[in-house]
């Protein structure tokens, strides 16, 4: 699916960071965009910055572990134009060793990382896929789901047990979902970036 000459896309991104360059090229090409993230995230500021490139961008408060707010973000994106793209890039990282002087990694902390990074991706995928499947195909496909895994899924470091497990889950989630949704003309892909400057990375010791 090429953006040029096709109906505008409306990506629903369940989290936002200041790391990637502002996607002004997409907006100039006619895309509609919903940036979704926690109320405390920089999402509203990023949306305001991007609004300078066009009025087709808005911020929707959302927490990926709350299916109701994810549904709200998907609905908001679908109000603009048919939803074609959903990008999951919400993420947290709680470092912790299995054995340390302060004790082992707290199970609740482990579960929180898996909940945000993996279950959050699942929440967006299932809700966005339902909406994308309702749209008419364009050039033989309806849309694409994009997940954010990590190089840590394949080459993690000491203290990254929770983060690596969650991102490994995202990576392995991609193939079965892609195979399932292929019949609905929906592509599913994941990326596995290395280190780059995000609010998450800035908060690590």
């Amino acid at each position: 699916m090429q953006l040029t000459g096709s109906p505008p896309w409306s990506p629903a991104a369940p989290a936002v960071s200041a790391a990637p360059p502002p996607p002004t090229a997409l907006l100039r090409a006619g895309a509609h965009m919903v940036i979704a993230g926690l109320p405390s995230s920089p999402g509203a500021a990023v949306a305001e910055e991007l609004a300078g490139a066009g009025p087709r961008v808005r911020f929707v408060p959302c927490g990926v572990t709350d299916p109701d707010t994810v549904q709200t973000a998907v609905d908001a994106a679908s109000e603009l134009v048919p939803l074609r793209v959903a990008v999951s890039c919400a993420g947290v990282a709680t470092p912790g060793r299995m054995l340390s002087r302060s004790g082992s990694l707290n199970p609740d902390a482990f579960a929180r990382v898996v909940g945000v990074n993996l279950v959050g991706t699942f929440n967006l995928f299932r809700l966005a896929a339902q909406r994308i499947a309702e749209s008419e195909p364009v050039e033989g496909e309806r849309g694409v789901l994009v997940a954010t895994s990590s190089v840590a899924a394949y080459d993690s470091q000491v203290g990254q047990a929770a983060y690596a497990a969650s991102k490994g889950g995202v990576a392995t989630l991609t193939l079965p979902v892609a195979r399932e949704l292929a019949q609905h003309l929906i592509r599913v892909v994941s990326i596995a970036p290395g280190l780059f400057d995000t609010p998450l990375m800035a908060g690590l010791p």
Side-chain angles (χ1 to χ4, degrees):
M1 176 186 293
Q2 298 296 322
L3 180 60
T4 304
S6 65
W9 295 3
S10 54
V16 64
S17 76
T24 52
L26 289 174
L27 293 172
R28 286 196 299 267
H32 292 249
M33 187 174 299
V34 165
I35 297 173
L38 294 173
S40 59
S41 76
V46 172
E48 183 176 353
E49 176 187 353
L50 292 177
R56 298 175 306 278
V57 58
R58 60 181 293 197
F59 171 71
V60 176
C62 169
V64 291
T65 58
D66 181 352
D68 290 340
T69 63
V70 177
Q71 184 67 66
T72 297
V74 170
D75 290 344
S78 303
E79 290 173 0
L80 302 171
V81 291
L83 181 62
R84 298 290 182 184
V85 182
V87 181
S88 175
C89 51
V92 296
T94 302
R97 294 172 177 260
M98 300 297 287
L99 298 174
S100 69
R101 293 188 180 89
S102 59
S104 63
L105 177 64
N106 186 295
D108 291 337
F110 186 96
R112 176 175 178 268
V113 174
V114 173
V116 172
N117 298 354
L118 178 55
V119 180
T121 298
F122 167 76
N123 278 334
L124 177 69
F125 272 16
R126 68 184 182 88
L127 295 172
Q130 291 175 11
R131 190 57 53 85
I132 293 173
E134 298 171 356
S135 63
E136 291 297 319
V138 175
E139 297 179 1
E141 61 180 301
R142 288 190 168 92
V144 58
L145 303 176
V146 182
T148 306
S149 180
S150 170
V151 68
Y154 310 98
D155 187 15
S156 53
Q157 305 301 313
V158 171
Q160 287 189 312
Y163 186 73
S166 69
K167 292 301 187 177
V170 170
T172 56
L173 174 70
T174 304
L175 181 57
V177 176
R179 286 175 168 164
E180 176 186 348
L181 297 182
Q183 62 183 314
H184 301 285
L185 305 180
I186 300 173
R187 290 185 294 117
V188 183
V189 300
S190 64
I191 61 173
L195 297 178
F196 57 93
D197 185 20
T198 67
L200 183 152
M201 290 301 301
L204 293 179

